[in-house]
Amino acid sequence: NAGVMQNPRHLVRRRGQEARLRCSPMKGHSHVYWYRQLPEEGLKFMVYLQKENIIDESGMPKERFSAEFPKEGPSILRIQQVVRGDSAAYFCASSPTGRETQYFGPGTRLLVL
Amino acid sequence: SQELEQSPQSLIVQEGKNLTINCTSSKTLYGLYWYKQKYGEGLIFLMMLQKGGEEKSHEKITAKLDEKKQQSSLHITASQPSHAGIYLCGASGPGNQFYFGTGTSLTVIP
C-alpha cells in the first residue's frame, strides 16, 4: 500500500506565476488535509477536503489560494500569482475518515524567486 | 483556537541518554498525536493517545497522556542517532482543524 504521494517534490516559480501542488492520498483514504510550513515556523493547517467537497478552509489565505479534491485524481492545491512569502514546504495528509490518524506525504518545497 | 506548546524547543543529548519532550495544550485534549519529522522530509506518525492516563510504547519511545488530558510527554530511552529529528505533537481542534505544537528539535551526538 503506497503512502501519500506528493508532486512535485520541489517547485521553483517566479513571482506572478501559478503553482500547482498535487497530492495522492493513500489507497482507501477519502480525506485530505493541506498544511504549510514556513521557514522557521511550525506546521499550519490550511484546508480539509473530502472527495468533491471542501469541509474546512479556514486556514487558507482568502486570496490566490484554492484547493480541490475531485472525484477522480489527486487533490490539488493551487496558488495563483505567487509571491516570495509563499515560499514554504506544503504537506498533505490523508486519513480514511475524518478524525483519524493522518498520514503525511513527503511535502512539496516551493521556492518563489 | 487550540494552542500546543512544546518544551524544550531543542535538545542535544549524548547517544545512550534518556530524554523527555513535553506537549502542553491550552484546552482539553481529545486525541493527541506524536509525529517525527526528519530534516527536509515529511512527517512520520509515531503514536496516538486518546484516554487520560493512557500510555503507549513503540520500540524505545513511550508516550503518555496525563489524567487531566492537557499534557502529554514523549520519552526516549537510550537515544540513538536515528532518533534525531523534529518531534511534533498534534491535536484536533473543536472544528475540523488540526493543530501542531511548536516542535522540539532533537540532536543525538554519537
Side-chain angles (χ1 to χ4, degrees):
Chain A
N1 188 10
V4 179
M5 298 174 69
Q6 288 187 250
N7 68 80
R9 293 290 305 275
H10 299 273
L11 184 61
V12 179
R13 284 287 177 267
R14 295 192 181 278
R15 280 179 295 169
Q17 291 185 319
E18 179 180 287
R20 278 186 177 234
L21 287 61
R22 293 173 186 77
C23 169
S24 297
M26 286 178 71
K27 190 176 179 181
H29 288 194
S30 58
H31 295 242
V32 165
Y33 308 77
W34 284 95
Y35 297 85
R36 178 165 65 174
Q37 188 174 40
L38 290 164
E40 307 302 322
E41 291 189 21
L43 272 163
K44 302 292 183 190
F45 167 84
M46 297 182 75
V47 62
Y48 164 39
L49 310 108
Q50 276 182 275
K51 286 276 187 185
E52 300 184 280
N53 282 312
I54 296 174
I55 306 301
D56 187 332
E57 57 182 348
S58 56
M60 202 100 107
K62 294 285 185 275
E63 296 176 351
R64 303 186 297 108
F65 285 72
S66 62
E68 61 176 11
F69 188 14
K71 190 176 178 181
E72 301 290 338
S75 174
I76 305 232
L77 179 68
R78 184 180 172 207
I79 311 172
Q80 293 178 292
Q81 298 175 314
V82 295
V83 300
R84 287 204 176 129
D86 296 333
S87 295
Y90 292 82
F91 292 94
C92 81
S94 73
S95 72
T97 63
R99 295 278 173 180
E100 290 186 3
T101 300
Q102 297 176 32
Y103 294 88
F104 281 77
T108 293
R109 278 146 188 87
L110 172 66
L111 176 63
V112 180
L113 301 176
Chain B
S1 64
Q2 186 149 20
E3 291 184 1
L4 297 171
E5 190 72 32
Q6 285 184 239
S7 63
Q9 273 190 327
S10 65
L11 202 50
I12 302 174
V13 300
Q14 200 76 38
E15 183 177 358
K17 295 292 186 186
N18 302 335
L19 62 106
T20 300
I21 298 169
N22 294 302
C23 174
T24 302
S25 172
S26 59
K27 298 182 180 179
T28 299
L29 294 163
Y30 294 101
L32 189 285
Y33 299 76
W34 282 101
Y35 288 89
K36 177 185 172 185
Q37 183 179 27
K38 289 206 165 183
Y39 298 105
E41 297 182 16
L43 277 69
I44 300 166
F45 169 71
L46 295 175
M47 51 191 94
M48 182 191 81
L49 305 161
Q50 279 191 304
K51 300 174 187 174
E54 187 174 9
E55 180 175 320
K56 284 187 179 177
S57 293
H58 177 67
E59 296 180 344
K60 293 184 179 180
I61 301 176
T62 301
K64 299 179 188 179
L65 182 61
D66 81 355
E67 292 289 341
K68 294 181 181 176
K69 295 176 70 177
Q70 283 199 253
Q71 187 173 45
S72 177
S73 61
L74 186 83
H75 184 78
I76 299 178
T77 305
S79 58
Q80 299 169 355
S82 61
H83 287 127
I86 300 171
Y87 288 82
L88 294 157
C89 60
S92 298
N96 293 298
Q97 293 201 19
F98 193 85
Y99 297 91
F100 280 96
T102 47
T104 296
S105 174
L106 171 64
T107 302
V108 180
I109 301 171

